[in-house]
């Protein structure tokens, strides 16, 4: 052991290029069977005087080596950090890579708006089958066979050869009213958005479209509740505070009295504007649930009353967001979707 040794070790420490090499060297010198440790172990065989003298020397060497290792470690740590900072550097001035995010279809957006609104009034979402039978789509709704209202529905029937029951694609979400009233007990507040089907195709009709049904059954519900509820909703939906809303007497077999609801609008060469204008536009149907429909569902009309409403979602979306042709909604043209779609976190 000599200052020669020390010089050599210091040189070795100095020439370490990374933390791993340095650690290997530390183990080589100071580890359990390291060079310096070995020297300390050998002291045992010496006579006491020499042992004390050599022991002091080796320990001093050990301290100096440890000190050099520590210092080098600090330097290599800094170097490692500097390398990382260099290699992980990002250029924040680079333009962002374009991300192909999808958009919410205006139908989805509109359904979400309806759900959000009516949820606050305590309506629960209800669903029913799109393939249903005449009982739920017509009969129980007071539209028996040969009723003229059936003819207006242009129903898609399944081939009677292949089914026992005359199955059909539901023509209205009103089938959900029947299923809910038969399966649950009043009080009821449901909102039933969903797909419906009719054999029809032009700029404002597609064979599949969406409706949203609303139904309240509670004791003491009257036409005033119906009007208040729908006027508030319509003004909120179109975002026009004093929008004129008119209830025009109408006929639906499942409600009595029934009404169609019109909103104020202005028609110009440029199109249509929902506002307090010179004209009216029909947007939904509604009425007090017919006593016969309540009876068909086992509800006593003397005890419970209710109102119902139904609206076409495409129609609402087209009016609110200025979509000119319903058919474009189902062509899956990405350019159309990017233009008319909505970001999932709300807004355009
Ligand atoms: N089911 C009707 C249709 O498809 C819409 C409708 C009108 C639903 C009045 C209702 C209602 O619940 O009360 O034309």
């Amino acid at each position: 052991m000599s200052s020669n040794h020390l010089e050599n070790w210091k040189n070795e420490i100095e020439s370490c290029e990374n933390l791993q090499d340095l650690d290997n060297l530390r183990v080589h010198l100071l580890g359990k069977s390291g060079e310096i440790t070995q020297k300390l172990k050998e002291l045992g065989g010496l006579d006491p005087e020499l042992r004390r003298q050599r022991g002091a020397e080796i320990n001093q060497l050990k301290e100096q080596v440890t000190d050099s290792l520590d210092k080098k470690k600090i330097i290599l740590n800094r170097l490692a950090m500097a390398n990382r900072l260099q290699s992980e550097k990002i250029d924040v001035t680079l333009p962002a890579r374009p991300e192909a995010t999808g958009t919410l279809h205006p139908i989805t957006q509109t359904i979400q708006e309806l759900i959000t609104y009516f949820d606050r009034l305590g309506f629960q979402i209800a669903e029913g089958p799109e393939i249903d039978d005449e009982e739920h789509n017509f009969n129980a709704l007071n539209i028996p066979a040969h009723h003229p209202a059936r003819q207006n529905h242009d129903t898609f029937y399944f081939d009677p050869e292949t089914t026992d029951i005359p199955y059909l694609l539901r023509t209205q979400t009103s089938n959900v009213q029947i299923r809910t009233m038969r399966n649950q007990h009043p009080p009821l507040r449901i909102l039933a958005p969903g797909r419906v089907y009719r054999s029809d195709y032009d700029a404002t009709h597609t064979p599949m479209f969406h409706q949203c049904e609303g139904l309240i059954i509670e004791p003491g519900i009257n036409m005033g509740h119906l009007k208040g509820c729908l006027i508030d909703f319509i003004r909120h939906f179109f975002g026009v505070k004093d929008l004129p809303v008119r209830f025009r007497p109408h006929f639906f077999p499942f409600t009595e009295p029934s009404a169609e609801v019109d909103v104020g609008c202005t028609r110009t060469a440029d199109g249509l504007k929902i506002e307090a204008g010179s004209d009216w536009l029909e947007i939904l149907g509604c009425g007090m649930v017919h006593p016969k429909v309540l009876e068909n569902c086992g509800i006593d009309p003397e005890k419970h009353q209710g109102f119902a409403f139904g609206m076409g979602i495409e129609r609402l979306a087209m009016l609110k967001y200025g979509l000119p042709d319903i058919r474009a909604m189902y062509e899956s043209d990405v350019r159309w979707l990017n233009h008319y779609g909505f970001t999932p976190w709300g807004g355009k």
Side-chain angles (χ1 to χ4, degrees), residues 39-292:
K39 299 271 182 228
L40 283 169
K41 280 184 189 165
E42 285 165 13
L43 289 176
L46 301 179
D47 63 64
E49 187 51 33
L50 196 54
R51 187 193 311 153
R52 201 171 310 123
Q53 192 198 328
R54 297 273 287 147
E57 274 175 29
I58 298 172
N59 272 325
Q60 209 189 342
L61 273 179
K62 186 178 171 182
E63 257 173 46
Q64 285 175 303
V65 166
T66 307
D67 190 48
S68 296
L69 282 167
D70 288 348
K71 283 191 178 132
K72 185 67 181 178
K73 190 168 179 182
I74 292 171
I75 293 169
L76 287 177
N77 262 330
R78 272 196 211 128
L79 195 66
M81 176 59 84
N83 283 340
R84 261 189 76 187
L85 287 174
Q86 187 59 33
S87 66
E88 292 175 15
K89 191 171 74 174
I90 46 169
D91 183 351
V92 292
T93 65
L94 282 175
R97 288 197 188 99
E99 232 179 277
T101 45
T103 56
L104 294 183
H105 195 285
I107 296 297
T108 309
Q109 168 74 17
T110 306
I111 291 176
Q112 285 185 358
E113 287 173 27
L114 298 178
I115 290 175
T116 306
Y117 183 85
F118 283 101
D119 175 65
R120 280 192 235 126
L121 301 181
F123 284 72
Q124 294 190 332
I125 304 304
E127 284 183 310
E130 289 170 31
I131 297 175
D132 212 340
D133 51 28
E134 294 195 304
E135 169 62 13
H136 294 89
N137 193 78
F138 291 128
N139 299 348
L141 283 159
N142 199 28
I143 319 175
H146 312 301
H147 191 291
R150 282 213 192 187
Q151 270 67 67
N152 302 334
H153 278 220
D154 301 312
T155 313
F156 288 112
Y157 283 95
F158 281 72
D159 184 352
E161 299 282 311
T162 55
T163 54
D164 304 338
I165 307 170
Y167 282 114
L168 45 81
L169 292 177
R170 70 174 174 190
T171 60
Q172 48 187 350
T173 42
S174 308
N175 68 334
V176 185
Q177 286 190 24
I178 301 301
R179 289 179 179 277
T180 307
M181 285 192 278
R182 285 185 175 174
N183 294 327
Q184 297 174 30
H185 296 289
L188 295 170
R189 286 187 188 193
I190 58 146
L191 190 75
R195 281 187 281 264
V196 298
Y197 303 83
R198 292 183 198 179
S199 177
D200 211 351
Y201 191 62
D202 61 33
T204 51
H205 298 88
T206 45
M208 185 283 298
F209 62 103
H210 296 74
Q211 280 189 340
C212 186
E213 193 84 7
L215 173 75
I216 288 195
I217 306 288
E218 282 170 31
I221 289 287
N222 61 47
M223 193 84 184
H225 298 123
L226 163 66
K227 290 182 75 175
C229 175
L230 291 180
I231 292 171
D232 283 351
F233 158 66
I234 290 164
R235 288 181 176 163
H236 175 88
F237 179 79
F238 287 109
V240 183
K241 224 170 156 208
D242 303 317
L243 184 64
V245 178
R246 157 175 104 170
F247 288 72
R248 187 169 30 77
H250 194 73
F251 172 79
F252 294 107
F254 33 86
T255 43
E256 184 57 39
S258 306
E260 272 191 338
V261 179
D262 300 336
V263 291
C265 72
T266 308
R267 288 172 221 263
T268 63
D270 298 336
L272 186 82
K273 203 160 174 216
I274 306 289
E275 60 181 11
S278 53
D279 221 337
W280 294 98
L281 180 76
E282 181 256 313
I283 55 157
L284 59 83
C286 62
M288 301 304 296
V289 180
H290 198 294
K292 271 199 193 154

